[in-house]
Amino acid sequence: MIKVQFLGTSGSVPTEKRGMPAVYLEFRGNRMLFDCGEGTQRQMRIAKIPFMKLDAIFISHLHADHCLGLGGLLQTMDLFGRNNQLKIFGPKGISDTLEQIITTGHFVLEGFDLELNEIKSRKLSTIYSTNGSLVKCARLDHNVPSLGFSFEEKERRPFDKQKALKLGVQEGPLFSRLQQGNQVRVGKRVVKPDDVLGEAVKGRKVTYIPDTRPCAAAIELAMGSDLLIHEATFAHDLQESAIEGRHTTAQEAAEVAKRAKVKQLYLNHISQRYTNAKVLEEEAKAIFPNTKVAEDFDKVEI
Amino acid sequence: MIKVQFLGTSGSVPTEKRGMPAVYLEFRGNRMLFDCGEGTQRQMRIAKIPFMKLDAIFISHLHADHCLGLGGLLQTMDLFGRNNQLKIFGPKGISDTLEQIITTGHFVLEGFDLELNEIKSRKLSTIYSTNGSLVKCARLDHNVPSLGFSFEEKERRPFDKQKALKLGVQEGPLFSRLQQGNQVRVGKRVVKPDDVLGEAVKGRKVTYIPDTRPCAAAIELAMGSDLLIHEATFAHDLQESAIEGRHTTAQEAAEVAKRAKVKQLYLNHISQRYTNAKVLEEEAKAIFPNTKVAEDFDKVEI
């Protein structure tokens, strides 16, 4: 199961109910954070997320509302004794920004290493692969370099346990070897993966599209997602503001969801002017019915 | 009336219930912030404090938990169109730290000026004076330069309105002139301030003592305060930790309050280990009964 939790659903400025951008994703013990706005460490504590066990942080772009929480989070990890490496991915410039952030306030990061990955490619590419899943990214269309990310479970073939037992394979390590695509020997008989693995099943997919104008890259990245998290800073009557700030309206986000044939859309990065964001939800639903406005601490399981 | 509101009462690390250090103070339309930890702008919004109207921010020291919120707060002020100058006071190094903070994340502060004041003196001195009040500061005893601040209403002489009317002074601008210490003319008679002003009355006083070991400078600064806000990171059974980190225990904070002859003590900067901080309150009350542990959004009016 892929667990997703929204930690901050506001854009630019926090409100009483919405923190700064951050989305948590967990899959098979692998823990990731997409964006890390001011206050994210506190949101993680409130949500009781084991933030010390984060494996990777993906920063979409270097506007302050998406990255200012890194300083506090990394310092707290250090204070609490983290010693395993943390991977950080972000656009060109992330290394300098991070250096600036983690040296503010007498701080010297001592306990653990950061593996920094500056993503310079403009094309859709795989940037991270682990434990049955991978993360792809693509360059979007904002007023500074901004990246979208998709988390994809690798294609998998269901394991026919009964058939394996029937062929004399004992439950345990041999099962794992077969699942991993290796043949195993049982007495004099060789059992091959194809004997016990079914047809390939497409993996589940979650896509995170932060600050951008609606664009082909977002649609390509989101194609076929089970969950699309798309920024929707404005309602469509403020499309001019959206164009000016290189943002997306709720209606436009719904159009992206429709064209990318996703199953479910969560509107995110909500402008502080919408104290009631139902207007955004209604507008998007007219085009893509399975839409919800993300609220802080909302959980989605896929 | 001096209005004080706690915006963050944790130390080092935020918890579910406690934000990072920040205390708001308002007096006669003058608005000040003491420390600005990560997330302060959001706490101000939750508390419905008019953060756009802040006049001055006092940063006690440059540990990240006390200053990381400046970036977000200043950027939001700029985004919302602030154009009047903001005064910032802090220890040596505040200018460089601030430069680092406000240039993180593609940000250029354009709409308003910062008046930066680096406080290098180690002695108790007045650093700010406005509208019937002044702020003093003193160097404390932490592992980096750390400043305590006291806000003091200037000594005032109560105005005897009835006597002024009896002497023929009309209510209005003439009252103000007399209150400000100027004589006025009523027909052929001269009315002097001494005719209508009573004995001098000591002004009210609030003192903020952040990260420090208990020290003479803290006692001198806090002397006679109506309200003392003192850090109490640990209970006294962890005095060794307090000494090692140059912090104060609740018992020690109470001793400072007693020696400084203050009226009321609020314990602040509470370690995240105290999910129930009553232990700190009880310990301090044994020495200084009028003690309370500060909670986020607590208000005190003096």
Side-chain angles (χ1 to χ4, degrees):
Chain A
M1 185 165 55
I2 304 174
K3 292 183 191 175
V4 172
Q5 188 164 21
F6 292 90
L7 298 175
T9 58
S10 188
S12 306
V13 170
T15 69
E16 192 176 334
K17 293 197 176 150
R18 297 184 190 276
M20 303 308 275
V23 174
Y24 175 72
L25 188 149
E26 188 179 325
F27 178 69
R28 291 193 192 160
N30 200 248
R31 297 176 172 87
M32 304 167 202
L33 188 64
F34 294 90
D35 279 332
C36 185
E38 183 184 359
T40 298
Q41 63 163 331
R42 187 168 184 209
Q43 299 291 88
M44 293 184 100
R45 294 205 86 174
I46 293 171
K48 303 198 193 316
I49 284 170
F51 63 92
M52 288 295 283
K53 293 183 181 169
L54 269 186
D55 296 290
I57 302 177
F58 300 85
I59 299 294
S60 66
H61 64 298
L62 301 179
H63 275 149
D65 56 332
H66 290 253
C67 65
L68 275 191
L70 279 171
L73 179 59
L74 298 184
Q75 295 199 21
T76 295
M77 284 178 173
D78 201 35
L79 190 70
F80 282 8
R82 179 178 180 123
N83 49 39
N84 53 328
Q85 192 202 55
L86 177 68
K87 292 178 199 299
I88 298 190
F89 298 82
K92 190 166 176 299
I94 182 79
S95 304
D96 289 346
T97 299
L98 203 70
E99 179 66 21
Q100 201 171 358
I101 287 174
I102 67 174
T103 57
T104 297
H106 297 299
F107 181 58
V108 182
L109 185 68
E110 282 181 334
F112 63 98
D113 287 330
L114 297 177
E115 183 200 288
L116 275 167
N117 301 275
E118 292 215 350
I119 295 156
K120 289 162 190 162
S121 167
R122 289 173 164 270
K123 299 224 166 128
L124 199 155
S125 49
T126 298
I127 54 171
Y128 181 55
S129 173
T130 181
N131 213 5
S133 66
L134 44 82
V135 175
K136 291 178 179 169
C137 101
R139 175 83 168 267
L140 305 172
D141 175 17
H142 194 42
N143 51 20
V144 299
S146 181
L147 303 167
F149 301 100
S150 76
F151 173 88
E152 300 183 29
E153 182 187 15
K154 286 177 186 161
E155 195 177 74
R156 62 196 157 91
R157 297 176 66 186
F159 180 69
D160 189 334
K161 184 179 167 181
Q162 293 311 321
K163 201 165 171 193
L165 291 170
K166 222 170 173 177
L167 291 170
V169 186
Q170 283 199 328
E171 199 159 350
L174 293 182
F175 273 31
S176 300
R177 296 211 63 215
L178 282 164
Q179 286 168 319
Q180 284 157 16
N182 304 301
Q183 60 182 37
V184 301
R185 186 172 288 276
V186 182
K188 287 184 180 170
R189 187 197 292 164
V190 168
V191 179
K192 293 181 177 170
D194 282 346
D195 299 333
V196 293
L197 296 178
E199 286 292 301
V201 175
K202 186 178 156 291
R204 288 161 286 194
K205 182 173 175 181
V206 174
T207 301
Y208 174 70
I209 304 286
D211 302 23
T212 187
R213 283 296 298 150
C215 59
I219 294 168
E220 186 187 4
L221 187 65
M223 189 57 68
S225 294
D226 296 275
L227 169 64
L228 170 60
I229 299 162
H230 201 296
E231 77 121 305
T233 310
F234 300 103
H236 206 66
D237 62 339
L238 290 179
Q239 193 190 24
E240 271 185 40
S241 304
I243 291 170
E244 198 194 339
R246 308 309 294 161
H247 283 293
T248 301
T249 70
Q251 181 182 311
E252 290 168 340
E255 280 157 5
V256 170
K258 194 176 176 184
R259 292 180 64 188
K261 301 180 174 60
V262 309
K263 290 191 182 146
Q264 191 175 11
L265 170 65
Y266 268 71
L267 303 176
N268 193 36
H269 199 272
I270 309 303
S271 163
Q272 55 98 29
R273 79 193 66 211
Y274 301 106
T275 46
N276 180 349
K278 280 289 165 200
V279 53
L280 302 175
E281 198 169 286
E282 293 311 317
E283 171 179 310
K285 275 183 167 171
I287 288 158
F288 189 83
N290 197 7
T291 299
K292 195 180 173 313
V293 170
E295 305 292 342
D296 282 22
F297 304 115
D298 273 358
K299 286 181 187 178
V300 190
E301 294 184 344
I302 291 156
Chain B
M1 184 166 53
I2 304 174
K3 292 184 192 175
V4 173
Q5 187 164 19
F6 293 89
L7 298 174
T9 58
S10 189
S12 305
V13 169
T15 69
E16 193 177 334
K17 295 197 175 151
R18 297 184 190 277
M20 304 308 276
V23 174
Y24 175 72
L25 188 149
E26 188 179 325
F27 178 70
R28 291 191 191 161
N30 201 247
R31 296 175 172 90
M32 303 167 202
L33 187 64
F34 294 89
D35 280 332
C36 185
E38 183 184 358
T40 297
Q41 63 163 330
R42 189 169 183 207
Q43 299 291 87
M44 293 183 101
R45 293 205 86 175
I46 292 172
K48 303 198 193 316
I49 284 170
F51 63 91
M52 288 295 283
K53 293 183 181 168
L54 269 186
D55 296 290
I57 302 178
F58 301 85
I59 300 293
S60 65
H61 64 298
L62 300 179
H63 275 148
D65 55 331
H66 291 252
C67 65
L68 275 191
L70 279 171
L73 179 60
L74 297 185
Q75 295 199 20
T76 295
M77 284 177 173
D78 201 34
L79 190 70
F80 282 8
R82 179 179 181 122
N83 49 38
N84 54 326
Q85 191 201 57
L86 177 68
K87 294 179 199 295
I88 297 190
F89 298 81
K92 191 167 176 297
I94 182 79
S95 304
D96 289 345
T97 299
L98 203 70
E99 179 65 22
Q100 201 170 359
I101 287 175
I102 67 173
T103 56
T104 297
H106 297 297
F107 181 58
V108 183
L109 185 69
E110 283 182 333
F112 62 99
D113 287 330
L114 297 177
E115 183 199 288
L116 275 166
N117 301 275
E118 291 215 351
I119 295 154
K120 288 161 190 161
S121 167
R122 289 173 162 271
K123 301 224 168 128
L124 200 156
S125 49
T126 298
I127 54 171
Y128 182 55
S129 173
T130 181
N131 212 4
S133 65
L134 45 83
V135 174
K136 292 179 179 169
C137 101
R139 176 83 167 265
L140 305 172
D141 175 16
H142 194 41
N143 51 19
V144 298
S146 181
L147 303 167
F149 301 100
S150 76
F151 172 88
E152 300 183 30
E153 182 188 16
K154 287 177 187 161
E155 196 177 76
R156 62 197 158 89
R157 297 177 65 184
F159 180 69
D160 189 334
K161 184 178 166 181
Q162 293 311 323
K163 201 165 170 194
L165 291 170
K166 222 168 169 179
L167 292 171
V169 185
Q170 283 200 325
E171 198 159 352
L174 293 182
F175 273 30
S176 300
R177 296 210 64 215
L178 283 164
Q179 285 168 319
Q180 284 156 17
N182 305 301
Q183 60 181 36
V184 301
R185 185 171 289 275
V186 182
K188 287 184 179 170
R189 185 196 296 164
V190 168
V191 180
K192 294 183 177 170
D194 282 345
D195 299 332
V196 293
L197 295 178
E199 286 292 300
V201 175
K202 186 178 156 293
R204 291 160 285 194
K205 181 174 175 180
V206 174
T207 300
Y208 173 69
I209 304 287
D211 302 22
T212 187
R213 283 294 300 150
C215 59
I219 294 167
E220 185 187 4
L221 187 65
M223 189 57 69
S225 293
D226 296 275
L227 169 64
L228 169 61
I229 300 162
H230 201 295
E231 78 121 305
T233 310
F234 300 103
H236 207 65
D237 61 340
L238 289 179
Q239 193 190 24
E240 271 185 39
S241 303
I243 291 170
E244 198 194 339
R246 309 309 292 162
H247 283 292
T248 301
T249 69
Q251 182 182 310
E252 290 168 341
E255 280 158 5
V256 170
K258 194 175 176 184
R259 292 180 63 186
K261 299 180 175 63
V262 308
K263 290 191 183 145
Q264 192 175 10
L265 170 65
Y266 268 72
L267 303 177
N268 193 35
H269 199 273
I270 309 301
S271 163
Q272 55 98 31
R273 79 194 66 211
Y274 301 105
T275 45
N276 180 348
K278 279 288 164 200
V279 53
L280 302 175
E281 198 168 286
E282 292 312 316
E283 172 179 308
K285 276 182 166 172
I287 288 159
F288 188 84
N290 196 8
T291 298
K292 197 179 169 316
V293 170
E295 306 292 341
D296 282 22
F297 305 115
D298 273 358
K299 286 180 186 179
V300 190
E301 294 184 343
I302 291 156

